[in-house]
Amino acid sequence: MGSRIPENIVEDVIARASIVDVVGEHVRLKRRGARLLGLCPFHNEKSPSFSVNAERNLYHCFGCGASGNVVGFLMRHDGLSFPEAVRRLADKVGVTIPETAGEDPRVAAGRKAAREQYFEVTERAREYYRGLMTSGRHAPPRDYLAKRGIDDATAEAFGLGYASTEWAGLVEALGRAGIDSAAIEAAGLALRRRTGDGFVDRFRDRVMFPIASLSRQTLAFSGRTLDPEERAKYVNSPETPFYTKGRELFGLHLAHRAVRETGELILVEGNFDVVSLYARGVCNVSAPLGTALTEHQARLIKRYTDRVVLMFDGDRAGRAAARRALDVLLAADISEIVWARLPDGRDPDDLARTEGADGVRRCVAEARPMLDICLDEVIRPAAGGADIGVKRAALDGVTELLRPVQNALIQEQYVTSAAQRLQVDAAALLRQVRSRPAGVRRDAEPPPPESDEPPPWGDDEVERASEEEPEAPLDPLDAHEATLVELLADDDALVDEVYRERLHFVIRHPALREFVERVVSSRVEDGGPSLRAAVERESSAALRSLLTAVLVEDRGIDPHARHAAFEETVRSLKLRWARAEKLRLAAALQVERDFDATLARMEEARRIDALLAELQGVTRRPVSGQEMS
């Protein structure tokens, strides 16, 4: 899973995927000329400004500036990493991605078939459990949800179901659909009988919580018992080749839009906490899957927000879990981690049921920075001249707390404050804090083998579509420059002419001039990406948005008339440059006092006049940027 996706496969996936189909799953599009328009999914608007160009496989919002190709859309919309978005598209369009370079295609095809069978089992199981919940034949699970204030709309959103008391209800139902029992066992939903003859269901008489990926695939299940005498309150699916609990967060597939809108994620401990808050309208909530928060889960959170509200249970175990989560979140460079402390014996579900959304939001509003709270707890006993043993324990506690802080300036500020309170040298304490590489606590789960790998062309900004530093918008391109961009994007042969005559020189827009020079030189000299591909890979979000807007808008240039349009566009750009240069020289001549410099400027002015005459005359000898420079 950790290998880099070959570039040719990425290009094949993008070429096969229809951006209209992908965007159309989330946005209602209406055709207007060569484009399709809809309401932007990335910001609130009443009039459609979100535009999709099917031919060029690009999208652009003329309201908020979001733009990119089909992979970028999935990254931004669903918070996926680059490889995750490519893999999801590959599944849609039937492209097999090898897990290692040079992998036997038959092995890759076998792995793909196993994956498809796995998700067929989990999806059919979800439908089966959901059908039992809604059939009307089983009152206990519906009564249980009603007692806990879970309405039908919330149950439907989470796909809550019911596993009956039958020993092999699921196995038999899926068997009738032609699914082999061994496949059900491989998906973690069946167990072999002790006699070894046949299979029984793993889950019985439980409310079923499907665990969904960000792409809403059913990965696994968690079952909550309805029997008050049952010791195991929850039973969870085992980990499989397609499901690792430390890589997922329960409910994030429903929460991520609300997290972006509110700017914060409320992190709770249990599935019912998530469902209960969601039922009361607090939708920016998620939870780990029955385990301590992992580094991968923290990185997943950071795709959406830099502010996490820890709302764990109010008992000692909940406080300990919050303390462990702090280290992991700090190591992921999440800047705001606050603790919404609950009274002893209460959990978020209690709070939501008794005080509703207002009570939850009030608790969130009163949350304090978790790091400040923890530092105060370890420093307070040693403040004011305590004995050396107490002070040493406090210094060790401060060191342990501040090591995971990734931002060096913030770390130094905390160290300075702690040193003042403990009356020690700040520089010495800072050296101690940084004496070994910062990282998560030893009891935190190590990151899984697959990381958020960069795209195959080496762009380090893997998640640029989901979290980008805001940039000042660039000045728009004029009509001639916009036409040039379209022509170069649609006809790679024109790139050679731009390179040969150094035509970037006549582009007035500074960012576009630098971009064209860089891309054209790379293309001709080193076989670099085409201009259209270079737009998609551009590291500057502002420039990428500006150029994508041009390509999405599509001026409808006749393919048979491209070269004539190119010549006319270049002639117009040269004329504008020459006229501006003539005005510049005239102004300079008026103030020039040096005789030799005046002669040089006059010669330059005559050359510009000759260029203007040629450009405007009947005989149009090509005038290159080299001559103009």
Side-chain angles (χ1 to χ4, degrees), residues 177-306:
I179 296 177
D180 186 73
S181 298
I184 306 172
E185 180 191 28
L189 297 173
L191 301 169
R192 290 186 180 272
R193 294 181 185 271
R194 292 179 181 177
T195 61
D197 182 23
F199 294 85
V200 296
D201 293 352
R202 178 182 291 274
F203 299 97
R204 291 191 301 278
D205 196 24
R206 291 179 181 271
V207 173
M208 299 299 292
F209 294 80
I211 297 165
S213 68
L214 287 168
S215 57
R216 305 199 176 212
Q217 287 180 306
T218 303
L219 297 169
F221 293 88
S222 179
R224 207 283 185 194
T225 185
L226 292 176
D227 182 357
E229 302 300 319
E230 174 66 57
R231 291 182 61 187
K233 186 182 292 186
Y234 281 92
V235 170
N236 301 310
S237 291
E239 294 192 348
T240 71
F242 309 106
Y243 168 63
T244 305
K245 62 184 179 180
R247 294 178 61 82
E248 310 294 336
L249 288 165
F250 179 74
L252 189 60
H253 67 295
L254 295 177
H256 66 84
R257 296 287 297 280
V259 171
R260 289 198 186 283
E261 291 170 2
T262 61
E264 64 185 12
L265 172 71
I266 300 173
L267 195 66
V268 296
E269 289 186 271
N271 297 353
F272 246 117
D273 294 328
V274 174
V275 175
S276 186
L277 266 64
Y278 190 97
R280 276 83 187 177
V282 181
C283 300
N284 56 321
V285 57
S286 188
L289 290 161
T291 183
L293 189 73
T294 68
E295 186 175 348
H296 191 281
Q297 289 168 332
R299 294 202 307 271
L300 195 59
I301 291 169
K302 188 170 173 62
R303 295 183 191 175
Y304 299 98
T305 184
D306 263 325

